[in-house]
Amino acid sequence: IRRPARAVSMDLDIDPRGSSEQFFDEFTIKYLKNTLSCAPLWVGSLEYDKVTGKPFKLMKNPLGMIKLWIVPRGDGSVPPMPIGGGADLSWGTGATATCLSMASSRTGEKVLEYVNPHIGPMDAAVLFVALCWHFNNGDGEGAKLCWEIQGPGIVFGRKVIELGYRHIYYREDEDALGAIRNNKLIPGWNPTPKAIMALFSQYRDDLKHMKFVNKSWVALDECLNFVYTPSGIEYKKKGKADE
């Protein structure tokens, strides 16, 4: 069986360029951008209690940072649906963005995107909890929320727990070798090299086979900035690919 050039270069370490190629297939990403991506159907913000995280209603605003690929009702609510959200946190200094992506677990379609480089982890926790409560399944259960427990994610997670939100992702307690230490469940996702590879591989497969439908051109384009390295997967912005 012939092995991919990338696998050979990584194992033998004879071609640094080959060992740093893109993780996501460029043809697939371009195809998805050209055939599935589209402008959001709604742009605006959420009115919510900035202390408790209680949501009130969505407000249309062309300058808002909440982008939806569904259309809210006239009263600012959204149709009930089983939904999950993944958050990537920053310190809010403007260097990198805090992001939230939400998708329907029934259809696999992305319905919400939020990107803001100027919101701190504690403020983001209140907003994201409010969004999770607003996007609920109709039976009183809000969206399932997952976040990376590293750096600002630690501060974010503590605030989420403080707010009393419990429909969240829990991981099993593992030692450094990946063995389960006890039956304790811990909030948040731990970005170990093994976990990162598994997550990105699943995401790549889901995009290719349209199990996850991401209609955001910007989010799809960002995929082209992830590359293989000898230590795993890294984000290395190299400029936009030709369209």
Side-chain angles (χ1 to χ4, degrees):
I1 299 175
R2 290 180 61 100
R3 300 182 65 198
R6 185 199 63 79
V8 174
S9 65
M10 286 184 70
D11 290 346
L12 301 182
D13 197 24
I14 59 176
D15 182 359
R17 292 173 299 175
S19 64
S20 298
E21 69 180 37
Q22 288 174 333
F23 180 81
F24 292 89
D25 177 67
E26 186 172 354
F27 176 82
T28 299
I29 297 301
K30 283 188 174 183
Y31 174 79
L32 294 174
K33 288 196 294 182
N34 290 330
T35 60
L36 290 181
S37 69
C38 60
L41 302 178
W42 186 95
V43 178
S45 56
L46 176 71
E47 285 191 355
Y48 64 101
D49 189 310
K50 293 180 174 56
V51 175
T52 65
K54 179 182 178 180
F56 300 130
K57 61 180 178 178
L58 289 164
M59 298 290 292
K60 194 170 185 178
N61 178 356
L63 300 179
M65 293 185 178
I66 298 174
K67 299 177 181 180
L68 302 181
W69 281 268
I70 58 173
V71 179
R73 296 163 170 159
D75 62 357
S77 65
V78 292
M81 66 184 80
I83 193 167
D88 187 19
L89 289 310
S90 74
W91 290 113
T93 61
T96 57
T98 285
C99 309
L100 175 68
S101 179
M102 299 179 75
S104 166
S105 59
R106 180 185 298 122
T107 66
E109 294 187 15
K110 180 172 177 174
V111 300
L112 178 148
E113 179 178 275
Y114 175 89
V115 180
N116 184 356
H118 300 292
I119 185 171
M122 292 188 70
D123 290 337
V126 182
L127 171 59
F128 291 1
V129 164
L131 284 168
C132 285
W133 278 125
H134 199 67
F135 285 78
N136 61 77
N137 64 2
D139 294 325
E141 184 176 62
K144 188 171 185 177
L145 179 62
C146 180
W147 66 92
E148 178 181 312
I149 54 141
Q150 197 172 60
I154 297 174
V155 178
F156 174 90
R158 287 173 180 165
K159 187 63 178 179
V160 169
I161 299 302
E162 179 187 314
L163 291 168
Y165 197 73
R166 293 296 184 270
H167 193 202
I168 58 180
Y169 172 84
Y170 292 91
R171 74 186 190 280
E172 294 179 312
D173 187 16
E174 299 179 347
D175 62 22
L177 298 178
I180 305 301
R181 284 190 284 216
N182 50 54
N183 294 323
K184 184 178 180 181
L185 295 178
I186 305 173
W189 177 70
N190 187 17
T192 64
K194 179 181 177 181
I196 291 172
M197 181 63 73
L199 178 68
F200 272 71
S201 297
Q202 183 68 59
Y203 181 50
R204 180 177 59 184
D205 184 72
D206 287 349
L207 285 177
K208 180 178 180 180
H209 298 288
M210 297 185 188
K211 296 178 182 178
F212 179 77
V213 180
N214 195 337
K215 297 182 179 180
S216 169
W217 189 97
V218 174
L220 289 169
D221 193 59
E222 278 289 284
C223 291
L224 298 178
N225 292 319
F226 290 94
V227 299
Y228 284 107
T229 69
S231 59
I233 302 171
E234 293 183 10
Y235 181 88
K236 292 187 178 180
K237 198 171 185 66
K238 297 182 177 181
K240 303 304 180 185
D242 294 334
E243 298 306 318

